[in-house]
Amino acid sequence: MSFSTGLSPILLIILFSLVSCNRDVRSPAQEVVLADPDATEETRALFIHLDRIRHDHVLFGHQDALAYGVHWIDEPGRSDVKEVTGSYPAVYGWELGDLELGAVKNLDNVNFESMRDWIREGYKRGGVITLSWHMNNPVSGGNAWDTHPAVQYIIPGGEHHEIFKGWLDIFADFVKNLTASGTQWNENEHLIPVIFRPYHEQSGNWFWWGDPYCTHEDYIQLWQFTVEYLRDVKGVHNILYAYSPHSLSEYDNDQYWDWYPGDEYIDILGFDDYFTLQSGYGFADGVSAFTGHLRWLVEQSEARGKIPALTEAGLEAIPDPTWWTNKMLAAIKGDPATKRISYLLVWRNAHHETDRQDHFYAPYPGHKSSDDFITFRNDPIILFEDDLPVMYHIP
Ligand code: BMA
C-alpha cells in the first residue's frame, strides 16, 4: 500500500531530521524522574552518574570516615580507610541524631559544625554524601531505640505533629546550609546533594518507627509527609531519598514493600544487612543467600527506574581476615545482576579509648583484614574516592 503526504521528499527529510535531532539533544537529565522534580542540577547529576556507573562499578562507603577512627579523633586529613588503602572512601555516611534537640554534637559525639565542614571537604574532592538520622522519640523524649509508639502521634492530625515539624525545620536548615563553591564542576556557591535515608531498618523492632510500633499506613504517611514538607514547604531541593528496610533474610521479598511510600517518594532502593553474609538466619551459604538478596534488589530497582544500593553492611571488628574478598566481593560478583548495585556503605569505626570497643567496620593500619581490604580496593569493580569520575555535572 502506498500513500502520499502531499509534502515534497526534501521537506520530509528536513522534518524527519528535526524530529530526530530533538530526540538526540534531549539531555538524559530531563528523562530522569526523581522524588523531587525540582532537584538541583548537581543532585540530578548525582542520580544519573550513580545510575550509569553502577553497571560496571560499586562505590565503597564508610560512616563517619573523617571524624574519627579506632585510634584517633578529629585530626585533619585522617581516615582509617585512607590510611590502609591510600584513598578516602567514595561515599561518606553522616549521622544526624540529636540535631533535632539543638545539640552541638550528635549522639556519637561528632560536632555538627565540624560535620558540615567534613561534608563539604568530601564533596569537594568528588565524594558522595549520605545522611542517616537516629531521631529521638518525639513523644517519649527517649532516644531512637525507645520504642514507645510515636508515629501515630506525629503524622498530620497527631498531638505531637508540631514538635515533629519543628524537628524537620531544623533538619531542613541543616541541609539547606550545606553549600560549596569552587568545585571542579561548579565555581559558584551551590548546594551539596545528599542521599537522605530516614526511618531506616523499619522492618526491625529496635527503633520507635519499627514494624511492631506503627501500622504500615502510618509509617507510609510519615514518609510521605516528610518528603512533601521538606520539598514543598521548606524548599529543600538537594536530596535523593533512600528506602532501606533491614535484611531480606528476615521476611518474604514481597514484604519489602510493606512500608513503601511509593515510587514518587523514593530515588534509591536499599537494605541494611549485617548478618546474612555470616550464614546467619539458617542459610547454609551466606554468600549465595546474600547474592540472591542483592539480585532481587537490583531487579526490582531496575523495573522501577530506581538505584539499588547496599545502604549498610559490614562485619563488626572484622574477625575474618579475608571477609572483604571471600564474603563481600564474592557476593557482589555472585552473578551479573548483583554487580549492578551502586554503592555499599560500612558502618563507623568507633574510637577504641572513648567510645565502644571493637565496634568498627573498616580496617585501620595493622588490622588483620588490611591486606585483604587492599585487594578488595584494587578490584576493578570497586571504586574508592580517587577512582571516581566527576559525579556532579552532566556534560
Ligand atoms: C549504631 C551504633 C551506635 C550509634 C548509632 C548511630 O549502629 O554504631 O553506637 O550510636 O549507630 O550512629
Side-chain angles (χ1 to χ4, degrees):
M1 193 171 71
S2 74
F3 64 93
S4 162
T5 60
L7 295 171
S8 81
I10 291 181
L11 195 54
L12 273 176
I13 288 167
I14 293 172
L15 275 176
F16 178 74
S17 38
L18 276 177
V19 169
S20 42
C21 224
N22 263 343
R23 264 194 207 125
D24 288 344
V25 293
R26 218 169 74 185
S27 106
Q30 290 169 292
E31 288 159 19
V32 164
V33 180
L34 299 182
D36 183 356
D38 296 321
T40 64
E41 213 177 306
E42 283 78 13
T43 308
R44 201 162 263 276
L46 174 61
F47 182 94
I48 291 166
H49 282 293
L50 285 173
D51 199 31
R52 280 185 188 163
I53 292 172
R54 71 182 181 81
H55 290 272
D56 303 307
H57 301 289
V58 178
L59 276 56
F60 175 79
H62 188 208
Q63 182 76 3
D64 283 352
L66 306 178
Y68 53 84
V70 175
H71 294 303
W72 56 274
I73 301 182
D74 194 359
E75 293 182 31
R78 294 197 70 174
S79 142
D80 282 351
V81 166
K82 180 166 188 279
E83 285 164 30
V84 173
T85 64
S87 172
Y88 291 107
V91 177
Y92 297 94
W94 295 102
E95 163 60 38
L96 298 181
D98 287 0
L99 179 77
E100 67 276 21
L101 306 181
V104 172
K105 295 173 169 186
N106 82 356
L107 76 170
D108 301 317
N109 236 8
V110 179
N111 179 289
F112 285 113
E113 277 306 314
S114 310
M115 188 188 295
R116 210 190 294 274
D117 291 343
W118 285 318
I119 288 174
R120 184 177 300 115
E121 180 190 319
Y123 170 71
K124 287 184 83 163
R125 282 196 298 257
V128 175
I129 311 300
T130 175
L131 301 178
S132 55
W133 192 1
H134 288 74
M135 188 193 284
N136 285 276
N137 187 316
V139 172
S140 69
N143 64 21
W145 293 267
D146 176 344
T147 55
H148 185 101
V151 174
Q152 61 185 302
Y153 303 112
I154 64 171
I155 53 182
E159 58 195 79
H160 287 72
H161 183 59
E162 291 304 316
I163 295 176
F164 172 63
K165 255 170 54 177
W167 288 8
L168 290 182
D169 290 342
I170 294 172
F171 171 83
D173 281 350
F174 184 85
V175 176
K176 284 172 84 169
N177 280 303
L178 293 175
T179 57
S181 57
T183 60
Q184 200 191 326
W185 49 91
N186 189 346
E187 264 303 313
N188 302 323
E189 179 155 39
H190 62 279
L191 290 159
I192 300 173
V194 295
I195 297 170
F196 180 37
R197 195 170 62 89
Y199 321 125
H200 65 301
E201 299 176 5
Q202 65 273 32
S203 52
N205 62 1
W206 45 90
F207 297 131
W208 55 260
W209 56 86
D211 196 57
Y213 317 112
C214 59
T215 64
H216 296 151
E217 292 71 24
D218 285 354
Y219 179 92
I220 288 168
Q221 236 199 303
L222 175 70
W223 189 292
Q224 293 180 343
F225 175 79
T226 301
V227 174
E228 286 167 4
Y229 187 68
L230 293 173
R231 182 190 63 193
D232 307 336
V233 179
K234 302 301 293 182
V236 186
H237 296 300
N238 48 329
I239 296 183
L240 296 176
Y241 291 89
Y243 175 79
S244 64
H246 199 243
S247 171
L248 283 168
S249 292
E250 292 171 328
Y251 46 84
D252 292 340
N253 291 350
D254 284 351
Q255 286 174 269
Y256 179 86
W257 307 110
D258 281 356
W259 311 268
Y260 193 59
D263 285 349
E264 324 80 91
Y265 294 89
I266 297 292
D267 301 303
I268 293 177
L269 290 177
F271 60 73
D272 294 4
D273 191 330
Y274 289 93
F275 303 110
T276 305
L277 272 179
Q278 302 173 62
S279 305
Y281 302 101
F283 286 104
D285 175 5
V287 173
S288 4
F290 203 72
T291 294
H293 297 342
L294 290 176
R295 182 176 49 235
W296 184 85
L297 184 73
V298 167
E299 285 165 355
Q300 295 296 318
S301 303
E302 290 179 350
R304 290 165 185 261
K306 308 297 171 195
I307 292 180
L310 181 47
T311 40
E312 270 186 52
L315 176 62
E316 192 178 40
I318 329 154
D320 172 357
T322 59
W323 186 83
W324 298 101
T325 54
N326 279 343
K327 295 285 164 77
M328 182 53 86
L329 197 57
I332 291 174
K333 288 182 166 181
D335 81 23
T338 54
K339 281 187 230 155
R340 301 203 295 273
I341 57 164
S342 57
Y343 69 87
L344 75 99
L345 177 102
V346 301
W347 206 240
R348 64 197 195 99
N349 276 15
H351 184 240
H352 184 265
E353 284 79 28
T354 60
D355 195 351
R356 295 170 60 174
Q357 288 186 9
D358 295 323
H359 184 60
F360 62 89
Y361 294 84
Y364 53 87
H367 183 266
K368 62 181 162 193
S369 78
S370 293
D371 288 348
D372 190 54
F373 189 56
I374 294 169
T375 310
F376 170 84
R377 178 267 206 279
N378 288 335
D379 191 284
I381 285 189
I382 303 293
L383 300 189
F384 279 48
E385 190 180 81
D386 64 358
D387 304 311
L388 286 177
V390 171
M391 303 289 286
Y392 297 102
H393 173 66
I394 304 294

